[in-house]
Amino acid sequence: MARGRLRIYLGAAPGVGKTYAMLGEARRAAERGRDVVVGFVETHDRAQTAALLDGLEIVPRRSMIHRGSAFTELDTDAVIARRPAIALVDELAHTNVPGSRNAKRWQDVDELLDAGIDVVTTLNVQHLESLNDVVQQITGVTQRETVPDEVVRRAEQIELVDMSPEALRRRMAHGNIYAPEKVDAALSNYFRVGNLTALRELALLWVAGKVDEQLDRYRTDHDIQGTWEARERVVVALTGGQEGDTLVRRAARIAGRSKGADLLAVHVTTADGLAGGDPAHLARQRVLVESLGGTYHQVVGDDIPRALLDFAGGVNATQLVVGASRRGRLAQLLTRGVGVTTAALSESIDVHMVTHEAVMRPRRPRAGAALTRGRRVAGWVMAFAAVPALAAAMVPARDSLTLPIDILLFLLMVVVVALVGGMWPAVTSAVLGFLLLNWFFTPPLHTLTIAEPENLFALLIFVLVAVMVSTVVDLAARRTREAARARADAEVLSTLAGHVLRGDSALPSLLGRLREVYGLASVTLLERDGDGWQIAGIAGGPPATSPGGADTDVVIDDELVLAVRGRLLDAADRRVLEAFAAEAAVALRQQRLREEASRAQPLAEADRMRTALLAAVSHDLRTPLASAMAAVESLRSTDIEWSVEDRWELLATADESLAKLARLVANLLDMSRLQAGALGLELRPATLADVLPHDLAFTVEAPADLPPFMADPALLERVLANLVSNGVRYSPVVVTASAHGSLVEIRVIDRGPGIPAEAHERVFLPFQRLGDRDNHTGVGLGLALSRGLTEAMGGTLLPEETPGGGLTMTVSLQRAAE
């Protein structure tokens, strides 16, 4: 059976018209003769949406009871048994009632697709798993219901239902989305223009990414190799040289000329891994690319022009930026170079060759001996001692040996010298061998004259072969040493990357690791402070207080220098040191950003609370105030003769409204004092009887010998009053208490519907009224204030499920000293 097809109507926010569009498409499909059923559609009491259900077959929902409340869910089995061609299933991110076969509705939809049924569904962009944290930063609201991106990306068709923020706010103001009493709060919070604009951009970008995937898949399926300039993509090639900064900035300017263009940087390494660029330069350039909004990539290839073009073609790039050649004129005459070759092979990709300061200043290869000093000394000793010794040993047998055998024996000695001491001792051995062969073994003997031309030719071939063998052996030794060095550097840099990813301790861990690797006395990251230097990070001691006081220093930028003390580092070690320095700068900046974010978080929280407070006060203060004013105005009216009972009822209404207003204002003031740290506390030993509220009905179960605990009795009484008043809305409340070690725990237990475990912490956020039957009573400060007061007294307030159903709030306080 073929799997069904999934179609998703994606929106930026509630109310843009996803369900309306889905039902409109369903009606058109039904008119075309398709078998369409409604599996689950939520109209949210919107008349225009509900009208579109007329004439469509609706599969009855499955009813479930959870904690005493009735719920309805999609009946997946009934839809599969009905076997329609198309099923409508609203709200893909919905979480099913506990006890359902699947935890999430998208899993129900997956079953329908497996049964061969096409599904049309709806989804808001804030429910995408990959965007969850981004949406939380924008709106301040954490989305608990999410859908894995992979589920959405598998959809055969995603249709964006778009609406401008202004139009959506007008729909909200006209009452087409939420009930009138919720409009003011929604417009002041989630549905602000900035929030809606950001969510709209997220939705557009996500759909654009999906379109890119579809385009790439189409080009792959149809074997299309050419570039389709559907979107500007600029690739910049980096060699690891200093000119990379110039190339990256130029490529960023080119990309900036087109709205929405992508910037990609790529570095090609050879397959042997030995001819890579400077890791310090590459690390710095990677940071630069990412700071400009681009991405960094690394590919392997021996043919650099072909590797660059393969990468550019693979990402559907439209432009490629390469640096002008740094080779001399003679080298350019012999070979075209990477830039020219790339431009010649680029076909539809535009290639920009950018000049830079390093042009005509060729890179000098690193100088360094391939062998250790001891082996080089041994090679020279063998060249000047072993070769003459060989000649002396061969002279007595000169008459029995032919010249070819003499040459082979000397050639063998040259190879041995090359293996031991490298190229130059071997070349010296070859020249010395040539002279000895000529003097002792080539007629006429004991002269440098060679009688036979073929003997001269043989000796010259001997020298040439000896030099070639020496060169090959020396190159192999050099490559072996470079490979060993590269492996060691890779291990160090791998460890470096692991330490950078460790989070808050990245900088001290990084500096400490560098000190351990190279056995240094101290490693100090210095930051310029006016005319002097200050220490931004240190490992070991004593520190270098300035670059001049270090044995080796690496200048990272105009503001930062890495200074090490303990020993001088050679050029090879300095390359890795530069990579460490670049990553240390990144770690320092990340540390500073975290510090700034931590300082900004309280301000953001305060701003969010002020916004929520204004929205709540605008509605929730209005109701008791209006009730009190209406009662007082009625009493003052002379047009109506009120009976005594009516007057008492009006006075009671005014009294109740004013008392509610007083409690609300007191909670708001106490919450403000808590946040400002200005709440006055009087902690003293207290007993349970001192803190129980007297105006609420509940049962107390506590041992008579319950020890006293440290609390402010007046504040703790308010905490317990809030907890008990919340519980008695749903069931009778029992208050129990017990001592556990140094703590005394007071539990407020109810047998109501409780709250889901994932919402336990959310109920303590200000302005939350999770699960309240009446969401228009109070501003939702009770539990937030209760936890704040409890923590101010040095205690904790934690929720947990009541065995058998319900909610238990546990207040833990320090036991008083006896």
Side-chain angles (χ1 to χ4, degrees), residues 244-393:
D245 295 17
T246 302
L247 300 182
V248 169
R249 293 189 176 93
R250 180 59 183 272
R253 291 195 295 272
I254 294 173
R257 296 169 187 165
S258 300
K259 186 67 176 177
D262 293 334
L263 173 64
L264 303 92
V266 60
H267 172 64
V268 179
T269 60
T270 55
D272 58 14
L274 300 178
D278 190 318
H281 293 326
L282 289 173
R284 186 182 67 253
Q285 290 155 15
R286 177 172 188 165
V287 172
L288 177 60
V289 169
E290 293 173 350
S291 70
L292 294 172
T295 56
Y296 177 86
H297 307 267
Q298 190 161 323
V299 297
V300 177
D302 291 322
D303 187 346
I304 294 179
R306 178 52 59 190
L308 287 175
L309 292 172
D310 287 345
F311 175 82
V315 299
N316 200 25
T318 56
Q319 303 190 59
L320 176 61
V321 177
V322 298
S325 176
R326 292 182 291 180
R327 301 177 307 148
R329 294 181 180 178
L330 178 60
Q332 293 184 38
L333 289 174
L334 295 176
T335 58
R336 293 193 297 180
V338 172
V340 176
T341 304
T342 303
L345 300 176
S346 62
E347 296 180 355
S348 60
I349 300 176
D350 296 336
V351 177
H352 301 263
M353 294 186 62
V354 179
T355 187
H356 48 81
E357 295 180 354
V359 172
M360 299 304 294
R361 282 190 292 159
R363 288 177 293 180
R364 292 194 176 106
R366 284 188 300 166
L371 301 173
T372 63
R373 184 173 182 275
R375 288 185 60 179
R376 294 199 306 273
V377 171
W380 286 111
V381 170
M382 290 183 65
F384 289 106
V387 174
L390 176 63

Side-chain angles (χ1 to χ4, degrees), residues 45 47 63 114 160 198 206 275 331 336 419 425 465-466 534 733 738 764 790 794:
D45 297 326
S63 298
D114 287 339
L160 179 65
W206 198 93
R336 293 193 297 180
L419 290 173
V465 171
Q534 65 176 1
V733 170
S738 58
F764 292 106
T790 303

Side-chain angles (χ1 to χ4, degrees), residues 53 354 363 398 412 767 775:
L53 287 171
V354 179
R363 288 177 293 180
R398 179 168 49 195
L412 176 61
F767 315 110
N775 275 345

